Amino acid sequence: MVHTFESTMSNNKIIKKKLPKPIIPDLVSLQYGSFQKFLIQGIQIGLNENTPVNCSYGIHSLKIKFLPEKLQFRTPDNKEQNSLFSGKTYGCSVYIPAVISSTQWKKSKVEWLLLGFLPLMTPSGHFIINGIPRIVLYQMVRNPGIYILPNDSRTRVPTIRIVPEQGSWLNITIDKKNRLWITTRLLRRKISLIIFLQALGISISELCARIEHSQMLQFSFIRDQKTQEKTRHGRILERAKLNSHPQTRIEAIRYIYAHIQEYTTLGRDQVVTSETAQEFLIQFCGIQKTVT
């Protein structure tokens, strides 16, 4: 598209002037040049910051001093096309000389050490891993805060996402039946938001007093257990020793622990009691212990 701008002169004539087309940089060359800079300077800078390495064993000590300026890259065993056809990784071994000295030795030794195998970037801007071309994508990291998503791209439902400075994200969703759910990295399967807040120490009466439209909470109460129910919901209630929605904080913690046991392998062989549930949540979730 050609961008133009208009200006009105005294004779009422409109003059159109073409703007220069924007120049799109060669992103592949930038990526490849950045990787070459990493090979020439980046590795040396990183090694200089971490040398020497001192190790102690008993009354003796070992000192390893790297010589980054003499870093060597071995010629790749396979070329790019051969790596694609044979299903190999296109890369090379990286060696570095090091001066090793020990209090048990009279003289220091100079040894060549293998740092590891380094995949190499091709001029096309990708790596060849096991014969498959792959590229590096930079991930956008969200700032801590609360995000309201009217329609989550993954779940297709309204979502409130809480991003903390540390730890896993919290996703609060609502379904077509107006039930409120919460999921985390540990609670991969959704759990009632009311039970989660109860486990944090907020009672149902306090929730109703704080929330303006508290009548919506009635949809988020879990249903009672049916006689001889052989569903996951029934097994969770049975493990938590409950017949209906938890009424206290301890019961909510037991329900969450039983829920985790049902959908994961964490603590599955352990009997759900008030003590074991609290110890587990203190270890993995940081929930403070309460009085039984």
Side-chain angles (χ1 to χ4, degrees), residues 204-253:
I204 297 177
S205 58
E206 191 175 357
L207 285 173
C208 295
R210 289 187 179 186
I211 299 177
E212 183 176 355
H213 302 285
S214 58
Q215 64 273 13
M216 286 189 60
L217 297 178
Q218 62 180 329
F219 302 109
S220 299
F221 287 95
I222 62 174
R223 61 178 176 82
D224 297 344
Q225 184 180 14
K226 298 179 181 180
T227 305
Q228 295 181 349
E229 184 176 1
K230 296 182 180 180
T231 62
R232 283 193 160 181
H233 174 70
R235 291 197 296 267
I236 292 174
L237 289 176
E238 184 177 354
R239 283 179 175 174
K241 300 177 178 61
L242 298 173
N243 295 319
S244 59
H245 187 92
Q247 299 299 318
T248 63
R249 183 183 182 188
I250 288 296
E251 291 181 353
I253 292 177

Side-chain angles (χ1 to χ4, degrees), residues 127-255:
F127 298 92
I128 301 175
I129 308 298
N130 295 330
I132 302 174
R134 297 185 181 274
I135 60 175
V136 176
L137 296 178
Y138 293 96
Q139 182 181 8
M140 182 182 295
V141 180
R142 287 195 171 183
N143 291 328
I146 301 176
Y147 297 85
I148 300 176
L149 309 175
N151 188 14
D152 189 11
S153 60
R154 185 176 63 87
T155 59
R156 303 299 180 184
V157 295
T159 302
I160 296 177
R161 181 163 296 157
I162 303 175
V163 181
E165 291 186 359
Q166 293 182 351
S168 60
W169 296 1
L170 300 177
N171 295 312
I172 301 174
T173 59
I174 184 171
D175 59 14
K176 295 180 180 180
K177 297 181 179 180
N178 293 327
R179 294 176 298 184
L180 298 173
W181 306 97
I182 187 170
T183 57
T184 66
R185 181 176 296 178
L186 181 62
L187 301 172
R188 294 187 179 275
R189 293 300 184 107
K190 59 186 180 181
I191 195 171
S192 172
L193 178 62
I194 298 180
I195 296 178
F196 183 81
L197 295 177
Q198 285 181 267
L200 295 179
I202 305 176
S203 62
I204 297 177
S205 58
E206 191 175 357
L207 285 173
C208 295
R210 289 187 179 186
I211 299 177
E212 183 176 355
H213 302 285
S214 58
Q215 64 273 13
M216 286 189 60
L217 297 178
Q218 62 180 329
F219 302 109
S220 299
F221 287 95
I222 62 174
R223 61 178 176 82
D224 297 344
Q225 184 180 14
K226 298 179 181 180
T227 305
Q228 295 181 349
E229 184 176 1
K230 296 182 180 180
T231 62
R232 283 193 160 181
H233 174 70
R235 291 197 296 267
I236 292 174
L237 289 176
E238 184 177 354
R239 283 179 175 174
K241 300 177 178 61
L242 298 173
N243 295 319
S244 59
H245 187 92
Q247 299 299 318
T248 63
R249 183 183 182 188
I250 288 296
E251 291 181 353
I253 292 177
R254 290 208 309 264
Y255 180 89

